[in-house]
Amino acid sequence: MGQDSPWSFARLPDGCRIGIVGLGLMGGSLAAALRTRRPDLRLLGVARRPETLALAVEKGLVDGGSVSLAEAVPEVDVLVLAVPVRSIIGLVPEAATLLRDGALLTDLGSTKSAVVAAMTASPAAGHCVGGHPMCGRELHGLEAAQADLYVGATWALCPTATSDEPSLMLAAGLARAAGAVPMLIEPDRHDAIVARTSHLPYAVAASLVRAVAAVVPDGELQALSAGGYRDTTRLAASDCDMMLDILLTNRQHVLSALADMAGQIGELIRVLERADEVELRRFLEQARHERRLK
Amino acid sequence: MGQDSPWSFARLPDGCRIGIVGLGLMGGSLAAALRTRRPDLRLLGVARRPETLALAVEKGLVDGGSVSLAEAVPEVDVLVLAVPVRSIIGLVPEAATLLRDGALLTDLGSTKSAVVAAMTASPAAGHCVGGHPMCGRELHGLEAAQADLYVGATWALCPTATSDEPSLMLAAGLARAAGAVPMLIEPDRHDAIVARTSHLPYAVAASLVRAVAAVVPDGELQALSAGGYRDTTRLAASDCDMMLDILLTNRQHVLSALADMAGQIGELIRVLERADEVELRRFLEQARHERRLK
């Protein structure tokens, strides 16, 4: 889906009705983005807690909503599941069944194989397309929502058994309405890549915090650390519910990535134990070269 | 050296002459900081390449300088070695011998035991104090210098056999003149802590880049990665000469930190292999809790 693909012209129809299930960081930011960029859309929120819904209405992020999926789904043209991955998987069967004819069910989950499998297994009156916008923050909740969260981000789209060209076009239109760049990709390929580019960095940040905290007292950590520690460990502050679901639904790819990471650390240990300056320089320079591509 | 210690009032004497050996990111930023904050000081640069010296003079960062240590050292009250750690160790004997009576020799190196050992072993007419300001960037060279690099940073000071109260006060005054906060600490304690808070994050970032680059093609890395990958790997772009010296002069502490990191990754692999949700949550929540202290 490059600049010259048909997807780059995808556009949500005027007045399209969008339901967003889950009004945390991702769902709340999506509402804020659509509100700002496409004021013609009608936005419905679905939240477990009535207070969250009331706050979203009060902030003007949604036009209204419901705490009931059964009440909300028949009212929308596009339903977006914006909850942790295992909750998405739990909601898919009911949501798919409730869809209007021709409506789209999609999601914002960070892993795609398990979600796409659930979507493919659910008989749907409408059409299902898996989605994953590549953005986020270590903060969470509606209070952390921001209208520009999706701007410029890649938004992966994974076809399911019920995807067709109009529903893929609708999903791409949603991504573009939020300011993101749609990209079609197979779910297993997606999961294999984000296991390295997203889930491994999180796992490494969490492991690093633990390796430091076990030895360095808080006071000295405050005094004797700088921006490097802060940046390298930032992801460790991510929402644990969200990350738990991600790691458990992408277990094999994450385990493979962790094994490679352990291999790299092991190689560095061997080179440093031998004080092998030539090999140490090669290790560091290769990493520096690869990092600077980005 | 808290807010209420005598060090927090340390001040470089008016018109003090400061020599800075090495006009890269750290030395250049120190010159810029002193120039901006203490225009009364006289700043002399020492660089290997005449072009670097000429550029520093042209930018107004130093009043003059030399490519010869022997020429510059007798002219200054404070000599700061701002080159990679093993170059510092190589320069200490000559620099210490050339010091005027009562002058201070200090440095900006990131590891302190080897530097302090070299300073203690060198007969000095003046006094030696090891120094390490806890700041930096992944960029390097005079072009990357910035006057506010040191502001608010902890500046570790490590006593040597020739340190006395006036020379420690002079070193603390230098730190404060750059906007940093002086902190007295034993060199081995310093090295053990920064092995975790600084050198390990760098080693982890470099290893992570390699674990990702080995599997994910460049194009997909660009499309399917976000701020998390960028931040977690930022340190991997650090200057390799500087980092090589750091790792080789703090080898035992870094090896111990890497062993603990490998242990944490190994624990995460075991928990994830068993899909043990309770233990996985505990692992992630402990990391999140520790990270949020910062």
Side-chain angles (χ1 to χ4, degrees):
Chain A
M1 289 194 189
Q3 288 297 326
D4 49 357
S5 79
W7 312 103
S8 58
F9 299 104
R11 187 173 185 282
L12 288 176
D14 287 342
C16 194
R17 295 165 302 173
I18 316 280
I20 301 173
V21 182
L23 296 169
L25 170 68
M26 299 302 283
S29 295
L30 180 60
L34 298 178
R35 180 95 314 166
T36 309
R37 303 169 57 95
R38 285 290 303 270
D40 62 294
L41 303 174
R42 184 159 168 78
L43 305 179
L44 295 182
V46 180
R48 225 169 12 192
R49 301 188 314 133
E51 311 89 85
T52 309
L53 204 56
L55 181 63
V57 171
E58 188 191 312
K59 282 173 171 270
L61 295 178
V62 293
D63 299 298
S66 174
V67 292
S68 149
L69 205 59
E71 197 177 280
V73 181
E75 301 297 317
V76 300
D77 305 303
V78 176
L79 186 73
V80 186
L81 302 178
V83 289
V85 175
R86 291 190 300 173
S87 301
I88 292 171
I89 294 167
L91 290 175
V92 159
E94 186 189 355
T97 312
L98 291 166
L99 282 183
R100 283 194 320 102
D101 242 22
L104 167 69
L105 173 63
T106 188
D107 75 300
L108 308 181
S110 297
T111 67
K112 294 274 61 79
S113 292
V115 171
V116 165
M119 286 175 167
T120 288
S122 299
H127 304 273
C128 298
V129 176
H132 175 215
M134 296 290 303
C135 55
R137 300 175 69 193
E138 71 275 27
L139 301 172
H140 63 111
L142 185 57
E143 297 295 349
Q146 49 184 54
D148 62 355
L149 185 66
Y150 297 94
V151 174
T154 298
W155 187 309
L157 295 176
C158 298
T160 74
T162 56
S163 300
D164 57 7
E165 197 176 317
S167 56
L168 284 168
M169 203 57 110
L170 210 50
L174 176 70
R176 290 189 5 95
V181 182
M183 174 185 181
L184 199 65
I185 186 168
E186 287 302 317
D188 186 65
R189 178 81 190 137
H190 168 276
D191 287 0
I193 293 172
V194 297
R196 307 268 164 172
T197 61
S198 173
H199 312 162
L200 180 61
Y202 166 73
V204 161
S207 302
L208 176 57
V209 166
R210 294 170 59 95
V212 174
V215 172
V216 181
D218 290 347
E220 282 172 316
L221 178 58
Q222 302 278 351
L224 292 168
S225 67
Y229 176 79
R230 203 164 52 239
D231 283 1
T232 315
T233 59
R234 181 176 65 83
L235 288 183
S238 302
D239 180 52
C240 291
D241 291 327
M242 181 184 76
M243 293 312 307
L244 194 73
D245 279 20
I246 288 173
L247 298 182
L248 289 172
T249 58
N250 200 18
R251 214 157 59 86
Q252 289 312 323
H253 287 306
V254 172
L255 278 169
S256 156
L258 281 169
D260 288 353
M261 182 69 193
Q264 294 293 338
I265 299 267
E267 186 180 334
L268 187 52
I269 288 174
R270 282 189 299 278
V271 169
L272 203 53
E273 268 172 351
R274 292 199 308 265
D276 183 336
E277 185 164 341
V278 173
E279 283 303 313
L280 183 57
R281 180 179 288 278
R282 196 194 312 267
F283 187 100
L284 305 182
E285 282 183 347
Q286 280 175 356
R288 182 162 194 267
H289 174 73
E290 293 290 348
R291 176 55 175 76
R292 291 175 67 87
L293 292 176
K294 186 61 193 167
Chain B
M1 290 194 191
Q3 288 296 325
D4 50 355
S5 79
W7 312 103
S8 58
F9 300 103
R11 188 174 184 282
L12 288 176
D14 287 341
C16 192
R17 295 165 302 173
I18 316 280
I20 302 174
V21 181
L23 295 169
L25 170 68
M26 300 301 285
S29 295
L30 180 60
L34 297 177
R35 178 95 316 169
T36 308
R37 303 169 56 95
R38 286 290 303 272
D40 63 292
L41 302 175
R42 183 159 170 79
L43 305 179
L44 295 182
V46 179
R48 221 170 16 192
R49 301 188 317 132
E51 310 90 83
T52 308
L53 203 56
L55 181 64
V57 171
E58 188 192 309
K59 282 173 172 271
L61 296 178
V62 293
D63 298 298
S66 172
V67 292
S68 148
L69 205 60
E71 196 176 281
V73 180
E75 300 298 317
V76 300
D77 305 302
V78 176
L79 186 73
V80 186
L81 301 178
V83 289
V85 175
R86 292 190 298 175
S87 302
I88 292 172
I89 294 167
L91 290 175
V92 159
E94 187 188 354
T97 312
L98 291 166
L99 283 182
R100 284 193 317 103
D101 242 19
L104 167 70
L105 173 65
T106 187
D107 75 302
L108 308 181
S110 297
T111 67
K112 293 273 64 77
S113 292
V115 171
V116 166
M119 286 175 166
T120 288
S122 299
H127 306 273
C128 298
V129 175
H132 175 215
M134 295 289 301
C135 55
R137 300 174 70 193
E138 72 275 27
L139 301 172
H140 63 112
L142 185 58
E143 296 295 348
Q146 49 184 55
D148 63 353
L149 186 66
Y150 296 94
V151 174
T154 297
W155 187 309
L157 296 177
C158 298
T160 74
T162 56
S163 300
D164 57 7
E165 197 174 317
S167 55
L168 282 168
M169 203 59 110
L170 209 50
L174 176 70
R176 288 184 15 90
V181 182
M183 174 184 179
L184 200 65
I185 187 169
E186 287 302 317
D188 187 64
R189 179 82 190 136
H190 168 276
D191 287 1
I193 292 173
V194 296
R196 307 270 164 170
T197 62
S198 173
H199 312 161
L200 180 60
Y202 166 72
V204 161
S207 302
L208 177 57
V209 166
R210 294 171 58 96
V212 173
V215 172
V216 181
D218 290 346
E220 283 172 316
L221 178 58
Q222 301 278 352
L224 291 168
S225 68
Y229 175 79
R230 203 166 50 240
D231 284 0
T232 315
T233 59
R234 180 175 65 82
L235 287 182
S238 302
D239 181 51
C240 290
D241 290 328
M242 181 183 76
M243 292 312 308
L244 194 74
D245 278 19
I246 288 172
L247 298 182
L248 289 172
T249 58
N250 200 17
R251 214 157 61 88
Q252 290 312 322
H253 288 306
V254 172
L255 279 169
S256 156
L258 280 168
D260 287 353
M261 182 69 192
Q264 293 292 341
I265 299 265
E267 187 181 333
L268 187 53
I269 288 175
R270 281 187 299 278
V271 169
L272 204 53
E273 269 172 349
R274 294 197 309 264
D276 183 337
E277 186 164 340
V278 174
E279 283 303 314
L280 182 57
R281 181 179 288 278
R282 197 193 314 267
F283 187 100
L284 305 181
E285 282 182 349
Q286 280 175 355
R288 182 162 194 266
H289 174 72
E290 293 290 349
R291 176 54 175 75
R292 291 176 68 87
L293 292 177
K294 189 60 193 166

